Amino acid sequence: MKKVVALLGSKRRVNTYALLMQIKDLLAENDIDLEILELYRFQIKDCAGCTVCVSKGNCILTDDVQQIMEQMIKADGIILASPVYLQQVSGKMKTFIDRTCSWYHRPALTGKPVLCIATTKGSGLKPTLSYLENVATQWGALNAGSIGRSIFNLEKPIGKREIARFLQLLDHPESYVPTLHQLIEFEVQKSLALTLSELDRAYWDTHKWIHQPYFYPCRRTPIKRAISGSIGRLMRKRMGPKAGDRRSN
Ligand SMILES: Cc1cc2nc3c(=O)[nH]c(=O)nc-3n(C[C@H](O)[C@H](O)[C@H](O)COP(=O)(O)O)c2cc1C
């Protein structure tokens, strides 16, 4: 049985939670289990900004974040669900995301689809969902799209079509076609890994990403290949071997 983990960024079990419960039922019809992690019920300290997680691989803080990250790594798919607070994700969701900074340098969720959910009274849906989708991409995950609801359509049940892509990527992650933006982001991450730290370089080496155009074999048009490839080569040339002495972040 496949397992999906959802992170809920609301303290209440109201609008965003209700969407997750609908998705839980839809996933159950496909023999997929959904576990909802309500972030407000966990201890999630503010990032200290020390970047030790990036440079050494461990976080100096002791709380529940490591456990949540491990649950995400073990899951087959992820859902990020947040209410819109002042045009963005809730503070709790953002605080958790800040703590995953090392996943930008050493992506840990490659091959896992991420579905993004947000609810709002009326505004901020687009930037909030777009932010969550970008975070998923930076984690190296597969962007399975997003579902948003406002007061105008909050009562509209989530349709099977809205989670179809997520289901398809759960079964066939290899069918994912990265966008040009994602291919370029990969080249930037690769360039940083090759020049900033031995830890990152070894991680990328172990995962055999250094000589690949993306985290896994995928279809690319010649134009996408040419643009992302040249941006990557240019970056690595400009950064040079001495870039390894610079501090990350
Ligand atoms: C602190 C706070 C900030 C909010 N900011 C916005 C906003 O910028 N735009 C908006 O349309 N709704 C805003 N809302 C309304 C919520 O996004 C909306 O009610 C949401 O569906 C609540 O989700 P929940 O029931 O899962 O907590 C805000 C609500 C709160 C509590």
Side-chain angles (χ1 to χ4, degrees):
M1 192 181 199
K2 286 207 163 65
K3 169 130 192 194
V4 171
V5 163
L7 306 188
L8 175 65
S10 176
K11 199 167 191 173
R12 319 186 308 165
R13 289 182 175 171
V14 187
N15 296 338
T16 320
Y17 183 81
L19 294 189
L20 283 181
M21 292 314 282
Q22 288 182 47
I23 292 175
K24 189 176 173 69
D25 291 342
L26 290 171
L27 291 178
E29 285 174 21
N30 290 275
D31 213 21
I32 299 166
D33 179 51
L34 175 68
E35 183 177 5
I36 301 174
L37 305 181
E38 296 179 59
L39 294 180
Y40 278 90
R41 292 173 204 274
F42 291 87
Q43 189 189 29
I44 300 173
K45 293 181 184 168
D46 292 338
C47 175
C50 62
T51 68
V52 168
C53 63
V54 177
S55 60
K56 300 216 165 73
N58 63 288
C59 180
I60 61 161
L61 302 172
T62 310
D63 56 11
D64 297 327
V65 166
Q66 192 58 35
Q67 177 208 324
I68 298 170
M69 288 170 79
E70 277 163 21
Q71 281 184 262
M72 292 168 80
I73 289 171
K74 279 193 206 135
D76 298 295
I78 315 285
I79 298 177
L80 300 175
S82 177
V84 172
Y85 282 0
L86 280 296
Q87 314 294 310
Q88 253 304 336
V89 295
S90 68
K92 196 73 168 181
M93 177 63 87
K94 181 67 170 74
T95 305
F96 172 76
I97 289 170
D98 290 348
R99 295 284 302 282
T100 65
C101 183
S102 64
W103 281 353
Y104 176 73
H105 299 270
R106 298 181 294 280
L109 303 182
T110 51
K112 292 181 204 298
V114 173
L115 177 66
C116 303
I117 312 279
T119 68
T120 176
K121 278 242 180 333
S123 66
L125 215 43
K126 206 169 161 193
T128 302
L129 289 170
S130 159
Y131 169 71
L132 288 172
E133 288 186 38
N134 273 332
V135 168
T137 299
Q138 295 211 339
W139 286 340
L142 312 177
N143 178 5
S146 58
I147 301 174
R149 291 286 189 273
S150 69
I151 39 163
F152 303 110
N153 61 0
L154 199 56
E155 300 307 320
K156 184 182 160 205
I158 292 190
K160 287 185 179 165
R161 282 179 58 184
E162 289 179 282
I163 62 158
R165 183 164 159 73
F166 184 61
L167 290 177
Q168 201 237 331
L169 288 172
L170 273 171
D171 277 342
H172 298 287
E174 74 287 351
S175 67
Y176 189 73
V177 180
T179 61
L180 178 59
H181 171 79
Q182 287 162 346
L183 290 169
I184 293 171
E185 189 68 58
F186 173 84
E187 291 296 334
V188 174
Q189 286 171 283
K190 187 201 288 189
S191 303
L192 292 173
L194 286 173
T195 53
L196 287 180
S197 109
E198 272 310 310
L199 187 63
D200 294 356
R201 179 191 270 270
Y203 187 89
W204 279 64
D205 210 12
T206 308
H207 287 82
K208 302 194 181 353
W209 294 330
I210 289 175
H211 301 294
Q212 281 188 194
Y214 202 57
F215 294 112
Y216 27 81
C218 53
R219 281 179 288 134
R220 290 171 304 152
T221 61
I223 293 225
K224 278 188 187 172
R225 188 183 322 181
I227 295 175
S228 59
S230 12
I231 288 176
R233 281 189 296 278
L234 190 66
M235 270 201 78
R236 290 187 280 282
K237 199 170 159 195
R238 293 291 296 268
M239 292 170 91
K242 282 199 171 159
D245 297 336
R246 286 189 209 130
R247 292 188 60 183
S248 64
N249 285 3

